[in-house]
Amino acid sequence: MTDPQSTHDIEAVFREKGIPFTRQRRLIWDHFAGADRAATITEAADALRSDGVGQATVYRTVTLLSDLGLLARVQDRRGEICYTAPPIGHSHPLICGVCRKLVRFEGDGDVKELEARLAAETGFSIYGHHLEVYGICAKCREAGRG
Amino acid sequence: MTDPQSTHDIEAVFREKGIPFTRQRRLIWDHFAGADRAATITEAADALRSDGVGQATVYRTVTLLSDLGLLARVQDRRGEICYTAPPIGHSHPLICGVCRKLVRFEGDGDVKELEARLAAETGFSIYGHHLEVYGICAKCREAGRG
DNA sequence: CTCCGGTTGAGAACCGTTCTCAACGCAACT
DNA sequence: AGTTGCGTTGAGAACGGTTCTCAACCGGAG
């Protein structure tokens, strides 16, 4: 389990690539990185509207952050697309399907082994995988929302 | 690696639940089950239009089949949502990100173990997981499309 | 044959996402 | 400070995929 990357680190990533880290981008990043649960783009846009961040900018920035690998896409039990930061190294999300609380874990050993086996068996050259585990967190279960 | 469920079996599933297995539903099912690669809803609708299947029906039927667990949602390398039949037992898809050819594999042993560990560590009650492996199949690689 | 409930197709409506474009912000340079 | 230039931004239009509406249709039960 890893900690979210701090805003400070992110600024460095942007600077390194020569991409401006604007006020809007900071706000959007903070919205996702500052939460321990995944959020939808709509939620972020709603929350940041009063800060003068347009929804087009939220979409653009989420795409940008995703491309940089700083934001990962997950989905809750109803299939809604949410984003969460950040998939450092190679962790995977364990998501509460109800409140979208998110815990990251490392499960790469298991999967790497599997990938090697599959490559040998199928002739595919593996370039990635996607693993999400879904559950109901203790809080939601106790609240009877499970 | 498992074989796709035959149309015959599917009819039984429908009958059992008292859901009519109509001409349109058969055509839609055949479209997904008869291919060894995942297809989008749009593709299915285009292919079946000349058979007199409306796109609303394709959407409705795909939702129905998904709810019955007879169709699984996957995505190609560009993030496009595709559907493929069927995830029998508990197999996972290995998808060619280029042509969407699909090979199913069993990897459940590995994951079940992981799930137990996570449940113990986090207090979540795990209800499911989602594992997809992405690669480029030999044919696409040779064709230089990788 | 008639009824009746579920299914279907066409098209409208909806909604999330992307595009367009003028205004803006900011750094570099004068 | 003023100017230039370029990337970013916000508002709103456009777009495209998905869902909804509703009348017509189909097939089984009576």
Side-chain angles (χ1 to χ4, degrees), chain A residues 126-139:
Chain A
I126 311 281
Y127 66 81
H129 63 255
H130 185 82
L131 172 62
E132 291 172 21
V133 180
Y134 307 109
I136 312 287
C137 71
K139 206 172 282 175

Side-chain angles (χ1 to χ4, degrees), chain A residues 118 122 124, chain B residues 1 36 92-96 101-105:
Chain A
L118 287 174
T122 64
F124 277 52
Chain B
M1 324 235 171
D36 69 342
H92 298 288
L94 164 60
I95 307 143
C96 174
K101 179 173 162 43
L102 200 132
V103 178
R104 301 211 140 261
F105 64 91

Side-chain angles (χ1 to χ4, degrees), chain B:
Chain B
M1 324 235 171
T2 48
D3 286 327
Q5 224 155 328
S6 76
T7 301
H8 180 262
D9 293 337
I10 299 298
E11 274 195 70
V13 173
F14 272 72
R15 218 182 356 257
E16 196 177 310
K17 304 208 182 248
I19 303 171
F21 194 62
T22 62
R23 183 183 71 88
Q24 287 88 341
R25 286 177 180 165
R26 173 188 304 279
L27 284 166
I28 293 163
W29 167 254
D30 285 349
H31 184 84
F32 287 100
D36 69 342
R37 56 190 285 291
T40 64
I41 290 186
T42 304
E43 286 166 356
D46 287 348
L48 298 173
R49 184 162 303 124
S50 57
D51 295 321
V53 179
Q55 79 167 4
T57 301
V58 178
Y59 277 97
R60 282 187 285 237
T61 303
V62 167
T63 302
L64 174 63
L65 289 168
S66 299
D67 288 350
L68 291 172
L70 300 172
L71 228 41
R73 212 170 87 165
V74 297
Q75 54 186 136
D76 69 11
R77 197 164 52 169
R78 294 207 320 283
E80 250 186 309
I81 308 281
C82 310
Y83 290 84
T84 181
I88 303 185
H90 211 105
S91 64
H92 298 288
L94 164 60
I95 307 143
C96 174
V98 176
C99 73
R100 302 198 214 124
K101 179 173 162 43
L102 200 132
V103 178
R104 301 211 140 261
F105 64 91
E106 308 280 344
D108 223 30
D110 324 53
V111 185
K112 271 282 172 293
E113 205 173 304
L114 179 63
E115 286 186 2
R117 201 184 82 215
L118 287 174
E121 283 178 8
T122 63
F124 276 53
S125 64
I126 312 284
Y127 66 82
H129 63 255
H130 186 80
L131 171 63
E132 289 172 22
V133 180
Y134 306 110
I136 312 287
C137 71
K139 205 172 281 177
C140 284
R141 214 166 50 240
E142 279 156 22
R145 274 172 278 157

